[in-house]
Amino acid sequence: MTPRTVLEALTRSPLGFLRTGWPWRALGYLLSGGVFATAAYLGAAGLLAASSFGTLTGGLCAVAVIVFAAALAGPLERRRLPLVDRGDSVGARPEPRGGPRAAGTRTKPRDGLRAAGYGAVSVLAVGWMDLAVVLVSLGIPGFLLLTPLQPTAAPWQGVAGTVAGALLLPVAAYPIGAWAGVRAAVTRAVLFPRDRELRDVVRSRARLVDAFEAERRRIERDLHDGAQQRLVALTVKLGLAALDLPPGSTAAKEVGEAHALAKEALTELRELIRGIHPQILTERGLPAAVRDIAGRCPVTADLDLDLPGRLPAFAEQTAYFVTAEALTNIARHSGAGRCRVTVRRDDGVLRLDIEDDGRGGADPARGTGLTGLADRIAAADGRMLLSSPPGGPTLLRAEIPCGRPSAS
């Protein structure tokens, strides 16, 4: 899963940070703010120094340039924030029903004042800090790389300076990325204060999911230890009673039918328990649970499972129920003759691909359970991707954060 912010990319995989485009995006983010502030001050200084203007007129024009730049800086901060922060609410707000001209959709004055104030701070002070961080971070390795061009440098100094500069150049990406991440976090907190409410909603949804899973486990345990054991005892007693009755008698026939019904009820209860929380998932992990699902699927399923070690419980549970629901949809709606389930763990993300050769055209709006799958995956802070053109094939991909696997 692609990190959503430059700080997330730095903390998740410091070495991988250099292999992605985040350093360049962070550099562009800081330079855009620094160059804009510099251009505003150069324009103001040029107006003050122009001989064709009077002192008072030049000063007023210079102040007007700074004020105009501060007014533009707020919208500019919103536009350039996606360079280093790809949060869902960055860059645009969803339009209400009725389109952009619906009644009651005017921007709140408080939002405009907040953006203008932050723009003024950005132009007057923070933009210079952005430029200073870039110049200091890149200036040291750049100076060392230019050592061979200095006339007083000895040959060995030129070689050593070039090597040291080349080694320090990747290191410069880290302070640039860190400062860009901090700047983006402050910008989001000031310009998008509703995101805090959104994070609270996400955390609340995660707590609800955890409570729901705990309740599922409790129900599964009560059914397994209570009702299932009573049904097993009833089945045994009915079997023993049938042996004591005369063969062919009415009582033996009635007891035999009751015995068969008790067996069917026990089978259905076991299937229900397996659907609530499969014991095999807890005891043997996701690969064994997926094999169990595939073995009971009417459509032939090819499996490609590569999971070194156990994963966090929430990731295994989400992947299990997504697989179960997807294979059920394939059997009921796709008309496929074969499907394939691929499970991989890559860079802290569990990637689950389920593909079938059916008719395609899967649409979440038609009530095939895809919306529920997307909600379950989103509750685990993951995402679902679906490709299902008419005529097939259909590919459903779930990406679920799972961290480091355990050795057990």
Side-chain angles (χ1 to χ4, degrees):
M1 182 181 296
T2 303
R4 296 177 182 175
T5 67
V6 65
L7 286 180
E8 185 179 344
L10 272 170
T11 55
R12 177 182 294 179
S13 178
L15 293 179
F17 172 74
L18 294 175
R19 297 194 298 267
T20 63
W22 285 109
W24 299 107
R25 299 171 70 90
L27 180 62
Y29 176 76
L30 296 183
L31 284 178
S32 61
V35 171
F36 181 79
T38 302
Y41 275 93
L42 287 178
L47 290 174
L48 286 174
S51 58
S52 57
F53 291 98
T55 303
L56 179 60
T57 303
L60 292 177
C61 291
V63 171
V65 168
I66 298 298
V67 172
F68 182 69
L72 287 180
L76 177 63
E77 290 288 343
R78 293 179 182 269
R79 294 294 183 182
R80 70 192 188 102
L81 184 57
L83 283 172
V84 290
D85 191 332
R86 295 174 176 174
D88 294 335
S89 62
V90 171
R93 297 184 184 272
E95 293 179 355
R97 292 182 180 180
R101 296 188 180 183
T105 61
R106 292 178 297 177
T107 303
K108 293 182 179 180
R110 183 180 298 178
D111 293 341
L113 291 176
R114 185 186 295 113
Y118 188 73
V121 173
S122 178
V123 170
L124 295 175
V126 184
W128 295 100
M129 297 174 66
D130 294 344
L131 198 59
V133 169
V134 173
L135 293 178
V136 172
S137 300
L138 296 180
I140 296 175
F143 177 79
L144 293 175
L145 287 173
L146 296 177
T147 303
L149 301 180
Q150 298 178 11
T152 59
W156 69 269
Q157 292 176 330
V159 174
T162 302
V163 173
L167 293 176
L168 288 177
L169 194 59
V171 179
Y174 289 92
I176 291 175
W179 177 249
V182 171
R183 282 276 284 114
V186 173
T187 301
R188 173 183 279 275
V190 173
L191 299 184
F192 299 96
R194 292 189 183 94
D195 286 354
R196 178 176 300 176
E197 300 175 6
L198 178 61
R199 288 193 294 271
D200 291 340
V201 170
V202 172
R203 285 194 290 265
S204 176
R205 182 176 62 179
R207 289 193 297 268
L208 288 175
V209 170
D210 292 340
F212 178 67
E213 290 298 335
E215 186 65 16
R216 286 168 65 102
R217 286 177 174 269
R218 187 191 66 79
I219 294 173
E220 181 268 338
R221 184 173 57 252
D222 291 345
L223 289 176
H224 183 273
D225 298 338
Q228 181 177 248
Q229 300 303 321
R230 294 187 181 93
L231 271 177
V232 170
L234 176 62
T235 303
V236 172
K237 287 185 176 293
L238 288 173
L240 293 174
L243 294 176
D244 294 336
L245 294 174
S249 63
T250 303
K253 181 180 179 180
E254 295 292 338
V255 171
E257 291 177 357
H259 188 219
L261 290 174
K263 284 184 177 180
E264 292 178 4
L266 182 59
T267 301
E268 292 177 0
L269 182 60
R270 284 171 176 167
E271 291 294 329
L272 176 62
I273 293 173
R274 185 185 292 113
I276 292 176
H277 187 81
Q279 195 70 20
I280 189 174
L281 180 64
T282 303
E283 295 177 353
R284 300 174 56 190
L286 183 61
V290 171
R291 293 188 186 97
D292 180 63
I293 300 172
R296 293 183 283 110
C297 181
V299 179
T300 303
D302 299 323
L303 303 180
D304 183 7
L305 312 177
D306 184 13
L307 290 178
R310 296 296 297 269
L311 301 175
F314 75 91
E316 290 189 336
Q317 293 167 5
T318 303
Y320 174 84
F321 288 110
V322 168
T323 304
E325 181 67 23
L327 292 182
T328 300
N329 287 341
I330 290 173
R332 291 179 179 177
H333 308 292
S334 70
R338 204 171 193 90
C339 64
R340 182 178 182 84
V341 180
T342 304
V343 182
R344 291 283 188 275
R345 181 190 175 276
D346 183 21
D347 195 20
V349 176
L350 176 64
R351 183 172 290 108
L352 172 65
D353 291 347
I354 303 174
E355 186 175 8
D356 67 75
D357 58 0
R359 65 176 67 96
D363 185 2
R366 293 192 300 193
T368 56
L370 294 174
T371 302
L373 286 181
D375 291 341
R376 177 179 284 276
I377 295 170
D381 198 24
R383 63 177 181 174
M384 186 185 82
L385 307 174
L386 177 67
S387 172
S388 184
T394 295
L395 172 63
L396 185 148
R397 170 172 294 176
E399 296 181 348
I400 306 167
C402 60
R404 297 180 179 273
S406 62
S408 59

